[in-house]
């Protein structure tokens, strides 16, 4: 038992330790990581900020130095002696040049920064220096640099500044030194330059001056001239000139460059005004040292949190062992008898008992879920969708979205095995549930014989095109799979989208539409919301009259055309109320039966055989149309059989021939009787007995039939048609047409058009 208790404690300890790692240690690691990231950024920002401050001070000192140098060029441009010399160099004597030379020497001798100053006189190509005097350009010791400036062009060297190697003549020897040279066009106040002023500063003295102006910063700053040449000394492991070449004027950038002991944080800035580049170097050890210190501190915090978590996990495992032990003792009489392998293992005993309870609940989940779904379909519920969805989640159907599509599935088994009918019903339900769950989260209920209803969870409050595509794909899969296993026809009706407490509305809507499936599209998938808005419906009295006359005359092709047109107008392509459509067909067939009875036909056998009112045997509107057509064919077959049994006398046959030949003329019953040689009264009695109507009624109906053909097949006016069928005026034709057909000739023509 001690061993099992130790195992139990280990299991609980591991779970609490895992819980601690997830809830405490992982967030702690994230927090420490964010803290270190922020600290590193702060250190970098402080280094960059200090570098920028140092470079700003040096940059301001450089600007001051360059402004003072530019003043010398401006002063030379404004001096009358220098301007006069530049304008008329050929008229000046040696003394005049000496005066200008001494003037320049006086400007520069007070400052040790100046190494030499000379002016290149462009008109006579002479060079006047402050130290040696007047030179011809070709004899001047710094002629190579002047020629180099000429090659650049005056637009380039008008404000040229840079560090270079200077070769200065001392009379006997030539001395090489590094100088900072400023080249300026003089006079600066005129558009046409007359000379070029060259001012050379000793580079070392220049750097010492800058260091004196910014003593706290220059030791870390590298100065580079506009030609990307080093003015200060080189830096080990760093190509400062390459860094300067990559910068654009006005750009400032911070990078980490170098490697090993020569690794630096470098803040580089190139002036957009004078083109000089300043690099501030901070040894990388300044950053890495601070980060090492904070890393040591973070590691200590992490270790402390981890040790605390391990201790708390073990403490909780020991505390929780007591309640679990008591639960195990209470379950011994119920679980241990059937679970011998778990003796001594408290966790296994409790776990096995819980699993038994879960298995029992899951075993009854389908029944409970089916009852809940059925109640939702048939009864309204309080507006508390969350509670209902929680109940579904408890039974293994976690509905994530707030809206539900209601779909009703109805089928008709064509199998003869009635003993296994309930089994086939369950097979179809399981098949539909499985295929619907491939695209939706679904729950359903069996409503009756091959009739099911399902709830499909959806995110949208209305049917979207993508959802409709998925629904129709599921329905098609169900039909395909059902045909593979059973001989069954399937119909689907989508009732709409509702929240959970209102799905009974969508179900009722779908159920009503499914009751009229014979009047719906042949696709097998119906949408109940398409029939929500009833339209004004007018009973087709004209079709009724036409159809009855066609049946009486035995014109099968015209009867088929009338039925096709009737279904096309009212059923296939319309949105009339479904109950109205059913009533229309019932009334139409009932009128045909009653009219046949009034004509003296015995319709008892016809009704018994045809079953004209059994409309719901059809699966869709196309099957219903075929059903009605077959019933009308049966009626015409019956009428033809009755007529064959009847004997028509020679007098009546002659009368019919006379009427059909003379209907275009103004004939009367006396004319018909005289033509066949009997009296008018005798003709009327014989005609009524054998034909079922009077001679004048037959004549009128025959004329109207011919008139209908002309209305449909020709473009003649009503006057022309009335004269062609034997009426003296059009008003008589219209009156009889409306009496027998229930509409005017013009309206009849519009309907056919």
């Amino acid at each position: 038992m001690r061993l099992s208790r130790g195992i139990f404690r280990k299991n609980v300890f591991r779970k609490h330790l895992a819980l601690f790692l997830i809830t405490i240690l992982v967030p702690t690691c994230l927090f420490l990581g964010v803290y270190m990231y922020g600290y590193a950024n702060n250190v970098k920002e402080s280094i960059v900020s200090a570098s920028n401050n140092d470079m700003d001070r040096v940059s301001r000192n450089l600007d001051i130095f360059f402004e003072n140098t530019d003043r010398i060029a401006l002063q030379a441009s404004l001096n009358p002696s220098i301007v006069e010399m530049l304008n008329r160099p050929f008229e000046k004597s040696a003394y005049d040049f000496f005066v200008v030379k001494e003037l320049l020497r006086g400007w520069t001798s007070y400052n040790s920064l100046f190494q030499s100053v000379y002016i290149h006189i462009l008109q006579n190509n002479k060079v006047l220096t402050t130290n040696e005097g007047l030179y011809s350009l070709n004899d001047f010791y710094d002629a190579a640099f002047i020629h180099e400036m000429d090659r650049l062009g005056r637009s380039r060297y008008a404000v040229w500044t840079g560090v270079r190697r200077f070769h200065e003549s001392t009379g006997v020897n030539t001395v090489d030194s590094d100088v900072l040279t400023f080249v300026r066009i003089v006079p600066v106040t005129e558009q046409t330059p007359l000379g070029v002023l060259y001012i050379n500063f000793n580079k070392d003295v220049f750097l010492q001056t800058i260091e004196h102006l910014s003593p706290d910063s220059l030791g870390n700053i590298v100065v580079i001239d506009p030609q990307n040449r080093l003015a200060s000394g080189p830096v080990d492991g760093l190509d400062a000139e390459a860094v300067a070449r990559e910068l654009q004027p006005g750009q400032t950038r911070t990078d980490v460059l170098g490697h090993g002991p020569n690794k630096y944080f470098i803040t580089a800035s190139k002036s957009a005004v004078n083109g000089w580049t300043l690099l501030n170097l901070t040894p990388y050890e300044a950053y890495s040292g601070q980060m090492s210190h904070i890393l040591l501190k973070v590691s200590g915090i992490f270790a402390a949190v981890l040790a605390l978590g391990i201790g708390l996990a073990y403490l909780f495992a020991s505390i929780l062992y007591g309640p679990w032990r008591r639960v195990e003792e209470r379950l011994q009489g119920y679980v241990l008898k059937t679970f011998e392998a778990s003796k001594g293992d408290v966790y296994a005993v409790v776990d096995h008992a819980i699993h038994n309870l879960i298995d029992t609940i899951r075993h009854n989940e389908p029944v409970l879920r089916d009852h809940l779904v059925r109640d939702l379909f048939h009864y309204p519920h309080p507006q508390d969708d969350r509670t209902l969805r929680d109940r579904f989640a408890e039974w293994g159907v976690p509905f994530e979205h707030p809206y539900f599509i209601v779909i009703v599935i109805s089928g008709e088994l064509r199998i003869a095995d009635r003993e296994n009918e309930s089994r086939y019903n369950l097979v179809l339900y399981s098949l539909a549930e499985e295929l619907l769950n491939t695209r939706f989260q679904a729950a359903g209920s069996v409503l009756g014989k091959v009739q099911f209803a399902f709830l499909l969870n959806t995110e949208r409050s209305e049917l979207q095109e993508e959802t409709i595509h998925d629904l129709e794909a599921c329905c098609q899969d169900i039909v395909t799979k059902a045909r593979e296993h059973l001989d069954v026809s399937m119909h689907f009706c989508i009732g709409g989208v509702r929240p959970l407490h209102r799905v009974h509305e969508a179900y009722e809507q779908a159920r009503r539409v499914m009751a009229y499936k014979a009047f719906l599209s042949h696709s097998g998938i119906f949408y109940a919301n398409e029939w929500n808005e009833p339209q004004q419906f007018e009973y087709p009295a004209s079709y009724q009259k036409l159809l009855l006359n066609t049946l009486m005359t035995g014109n099968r092709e015209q009867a088929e055309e009338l039925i096709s047109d009737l279904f096309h107008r009212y059923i296939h392509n319309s949105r009339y109320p479904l109950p109205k459509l059913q009533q229309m067909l019932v009334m139409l067939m009932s009128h045909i039966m009653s009219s046949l009875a009034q004509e003296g036909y015995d319709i008892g056998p016809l009704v018994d055989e045809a079953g004209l009112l059994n409309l719901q045997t059809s699966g869709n509107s196309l099957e219903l149309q075929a059903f009605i057509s077959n019933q009308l064919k049966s009626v015409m077959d019956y009428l033809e059989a009755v007529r064959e049994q009847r004997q028509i006398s020679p007098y009546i046959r002659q009368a019919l021939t006379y009427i059909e030949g003379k209907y275009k003329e103004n004939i009367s019953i006396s004319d018909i009787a005289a033509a066949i040689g009997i009296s008018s009264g005798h003709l009327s009695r014989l005609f009524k007995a054998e034909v079922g109507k009077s001679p004048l009624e037959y004549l009128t109906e025959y004329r109207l039939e011919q008139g209908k053909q002309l209305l449909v097949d020709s473009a003649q006016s009503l006057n022309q048609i009335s004269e062609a069928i034997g009426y003296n005026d059009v008003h008589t034709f219209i009156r009889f047409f409306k009496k027998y057909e229930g509409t005017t000739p013009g309206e009849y023509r519009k309907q056919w058009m």
Side-chain angles (χ1 to χ4, degrees):
M1 183 62 69
R2 289 183 178 179
L3 179 60
S4 65
R5 293 179 181 179
I7 294 174
F8 177 80
R9 286 195 182 96
K10 288 180 181 179
N11 291 334
V12 177
F13 168 72
R14 292 193 189 102
K15 292 180 180 179
H16 280 84
L17 183 59
L19 180 64
F20 165 77
L21 292 176
I22 296 173
T23 59
I24 303 298
L25 193 61
V26 172
T28 301
C29 292
L30 293 175
F31 172 77
L32 293 177
V34 172
Y35 174 75
M36 286 195 64
Y37 177 79
Y39 186 85
N41 286 337
N42 290 335
V43 173
K44 291 179 182 178
E45 289 175 1
S46 64
I47 293 174
V48 172
S49 177
S51 299
N52 289 333
N53 293 334
D54 291 343
M55 288 196 301
D56 286 342
R57 288 193 295 270
V58 175
S59 178
R60 285 194 297 270
N61 294 333
L62 285 174
D63 291 340
I64 294 172
F65 182 84
F66 297 152
E67 288 175 2
N68 292 331
T69 305
D70 290 336
R71 288 196 188 98
I72 296 176
L74 180 61
Q75 188 175 0
S77 299
L78 298 177
N79 186 273
S81 300
I82 296 176
V83 173
E84 183 70 18
M85 179 193 70
L86 295 174
N87 278 309
R88 297 182 179 85
F90 298 103
E91 299 176 3
K92 299 298 178 181
S93 62
Y95 176 77
D96 294 329
F97 285 110
F98 174 78
V99 170
V100 173
K101 168 192 165 187
E102 291 301 316
L103 177 65
L104 293 176
R105 179 189 294 273
W107 289 350
T108 58
S109 61
Y110 70 90
N111 195 329
S112 61
L113 274 172
F114 293 94
Q115 182 165 322
S116 63
V117 177
Y118 50 86
I119 297 178
H120 177 207
I121 305 170
L122 297 179
Q123 291 195 49
N124 60 5
N125 211 20
K126 299 290 186 179
V127 179
L128 178 64
T129 71
T130 58
N131 296 329
E132 293 80 12
L134 189 65
Y135 281 89
S136 174
L137 177 62
N138 294 330
D139 299 332
F140 186 52
Y141 55 84
D142 203 17
F145 179 68
I146 295 177
H147 288 310
E148 182 180 352
M149 290 295 102
D150 286 339
R151 285 194 296 272
L152 289 177
R154 293 179 182 176
S155 61
R156 293 284 302 278
Y157 71 72
V159 289
W160 191 93
T161 304
V163 177
R164 66 188 182 95
R165 193 69 175 172
F166 180 62
H167 308 280
E168 183 179 12
S169 175
T170 60
V172 179
N173 299 319
T174 299
V175 179
D176 292 339
S177 61
D178 291 331
V179 297
L180 174 64
T181 301
F182 286 80
V183 181
R184 297 292 183 269
I185 295 294
V186 290
V188 297
T189 56
E190 297 183 8
Q191 293 184 353
T192 303
L194 300 175
V196 182
L197 178 66
Y198 294 85
I199 304 174
N200 297 314
F201 296 97
N202 187 288
K203 187 186 78 168
D204 295 335
V205 178
F206 164 72
L207 293 176
Q208 290 174 4
T209 302
I210 298 300
E211 182 178 6
H212 175 72
L213 294 175
S214 302
D216 297 331
S217 58
L218 192 62
N220 298 328
I221 291 181
V222 177
V223 183
I224 302 173
D225 72 1
Q227 281 67 48
N228 299 322
R229 300 172 184 168
L230 274 173
S232 55
V235 180
D236 293 338
L238 177 65
D239 188 354
E241 295 178 348
V243 175
R245 284 193 295 271
E246 294 176 358
L247 287 176
Q248 299 297 323
Q251 182 182 4
T252 300
R253 191 175 67 188
T254 300
D255 291 314
V256 177
L257 298 176
H259 54 82
N262 299 322
K263 192 173 182 181
Y264 303 95
F265 269 105
I266 298 179
T267 301
S269 176
K270 177 173 284 190
S271 174
V273 178
N274 52 49
W276 283 74
T277 302
L278 298 178
L279 306 182
N280 188 289
L281 308 182
T282 302
Y284 191 76
E285 290 79 2
Y287 169 77
S288 60
Q290 295 186 57
M291 292 308 299
S292 299
H293 176 72
I294 195 64
L295 180 61
L296 182 63
K297 183 186 296 185
V298 167
S299 300
I301 295 173
F302 178 81
V305 173
L306 179 61
L308 178 62
I310 294 174
L312 291 176
Y314 184 80
L315 177 62
F316 288 150
S318 300
I319 293 173
L320 291 177
Y321 175 74
W324 278 79
R325 180 59 185 168
R326 289 191 294 272
V327 172
E328 185 263 347
E329 291 175 353
R330 296 191 63 179
L331 291 174
Q332 283 183 357
Y334 302 97
V335 178
L336 295 182
K337 294 180 181 179
T338 59
F339 190 60
E340 299 295 335
S342 66
K343 283 186 176 181
D345 191 342
V346 177
Y347 177 76
V349 172
V350 176
D351 182 66
H352 183 68
I354 292 174
H355 278 82
N356 283 342
L357 179 60
I358 293 174
D359 290 341
T360 303
I361 294 174
R362 287 181 177 174
H363 181 73
N364 293 286
E365 276 179 3
V367 178
L368 297 173
R369 188 169 63 243
D370 182 87
H371 281 294
L372 178 58
V373 173
R374 187 186 293 267
D375 288 344
L376 287 172
F377 285 147
H378 289 90
Y379 309 106
H381 281 71
Q383 191 171 353
D384 189 6
D385 288 1
R386 173 59 61 184
T387 301
L388 294 173
R389 289 163 61 187
D390 290 343
R391 290 176 63 185
F392 276 108
E394 291 173 359
W395 296 331
V397 186
F399 289 138
E400 299 177 357
H401 306 302
Y403 297 101
F404 294 83
I405 303 170
V406 176
I407 178 170
V408 175
I409 303 175
S410 179
E412 182 179 353
L413 289 169
R414 298 193 179 101
I415 58 176
D417 188 3
R418 298 300 176 185
E419 295 181 357
N420 295 320
E421 187 173 291
S422 60
R423 182 171 64 87
Y424 296 144
N425 199 28
L426 291 176
V427 169
L428 287 173
Y429 172 78
S430 300
L431 176 64
E433 185 179 38
E434 178 183 356
L435 293 176
L436 287 172
N437 272 301
T438 59
R439 298 174 185 261
F440 302 92
Q441 189 69 41
S445 176
V446 179
L447 303 179
K449 176 185 173 183
V450 198
Q451 189 171 19
F452 325 114
F454 288 91
L455 291 173
L456 308 180
N457 197 212
T458 183
E459 185 178 2
R460 307 279 185 176
S461 60
E462 295 180 356
L463 285 175
Q464 304 292 323
E465 183 176 353
E466 181 180 357
T467 307
I468 292 174
H469 178 269
D470 290 340
L471 276 171
E472 294 182 353
C474 284
C475 294
Q476 188 59 44
D477 291 342
I478 293 171
V479 171
T480 302
K481 293 293 184 181
R483 286 176 181 171
E484 292 178 1
H485 299 86
L486 298 171
D487 185 13
V488 61
S489 61
M490 307 290 291
H491 305 280
F492 306 86
C493 184
I494 290 88
V497 184
R498 298 287 191 280
L500 196 56
H501 66 279
R502 292 179 54 200
V503 296
H504 66 284
E505 299 173 2
Y507 167 74
E508 184 63 22
Q509 196 175 26
R511 186 190 63 79
R512 288 180 180 178
V513 172
M514 191 63 77
Y516 296 99
K517 64 179 181 296
F519 296 87
L520 300 177
S521 169
H522 64 279
S523 66
I525 303 173
F526 316 126
Y527 294 89
N529 59 341
E530 296 180 0
W531 287 272
N532 284 341
E533 297 294 335
Q535 298 182 2
Q536 185 178 0
F537 180 80
E538 182 179 354
Y539 181 76
S542 59
Y543 282 96
Q544 174 181 296
K545 188 68 175 179
L546 287 172
L547 187 58
L548 181 60
N549 291 336
T550 303
L551 293 176
M552 298 299 294
T553 57
N555 191 337
R556 296 178 181 268
E557 293 183 0
Q558 187 176 2
E560 187 67 31
E561 291 177 0
L562 285 172
I563 291 299
S564 297
D565 185 67
L566 178 69
F567 269 78
H568 177 76
R569 177 179 176 185
Y570 286 92
I571 297 177
H572 292 324
N573 299 318
S574 71
R575 292 295 181 268
Y576 291 113
L578 300 179
K580 292 290 185 182
L581 296 178
Q582 185 176 22
Q583 293 173 17
M584 176 191 73
L585 290 183
V586 171
M587 291 174 62
L588 182 64
M589 302 304 294
S590 299
H591 176 76
I592 292 173
M593 294 295 102
S594 63
S595 298
L596 292 178
Q598 291 176 7
E599 294 292 335
Y601 291 98
D602 180 13
I603 64 171
L606 186 62
V607 175
D608 293 339
E609 283 187 18
L612 294 175
L613 302 181
N614 190 14
L615 303 178
Q616 288 302 330
T617 58
S618 303
N620 51 59
S621 58
L622 290 181
E623 292 183 9
L624 179 62
Q625 180 179 343
F627 173 79
I628 296 296
S629 297
N630 290 333
Q631 304 314 309
L632 294 181
K633 289 178 183 178
S634 300
V635 172
M636 286 188 285
D637 292 341
Y638 172 72
L639 294 178
E640 289 178 359
V642 171
R643 287 170 185 158
E644 289 178 358
Q645 294 175 0
R646 292 181 176 178
Q647 296 294 329
I648 301 177
S649 65
Y651 291 116
I652 300 304
R653 190 176 295 110
Q654 292 177 27
L656 292 174
T657 303
Y658 184 85
I659 291 172
E660 294 173 0
K662 299 290 186 177
Y663 75 94
K664 297 180 181 180
E665 302 175 7
N666 188 11
I667 60 175
S668 64
I669 190 172
S670 300
D671 296 331
I672 302 172
I676 62 177
I678 61 175
S679 65
S680 300
H682 186 50
L683 173 62
S684 297
R685 287 191 298 274
L686 287 177
F687 204 98
K688 182 70 172 180
E690 295 189 21
V691 179
K693 59 188 71 176
S694 68
L696 291 181
E697 288 178 343
Y698 184 82
L699 173 61
T700 300
E701 292 180 359
Y702 191 80
R703 282 175 171 172
L704 295 179
E705 285 297 324
Q706 302 306 315
K708 287 190 290 185
Q709 294 295 328
L710 294 175
L711 286 171
V712 175
D713 299 333
S714 70
Q716 298 181 34
S717 66
L718 295 182
N719 285 324
Q720 293 172 330
I721 294 174
S722 64
E723 293 176 359
I725 62 176
Y727 289 110
N728 294 330
D729 59 86
V730 69
H731 299 292
T732 304
F733 171 52
I734 295 174
R735 185 175 69 256
F736 278 111
F737 196 97
K738 189 171 184 180
K739 176 182 177 182
Y740 280 85
E741 303 299 332
T743 184
T744 64
E747 292 175 350
Y748 179 85
R749 171 175 278 175
K750 289 180 181 179
Q751 292 174 2
W752 277 97
M753 290 176 64

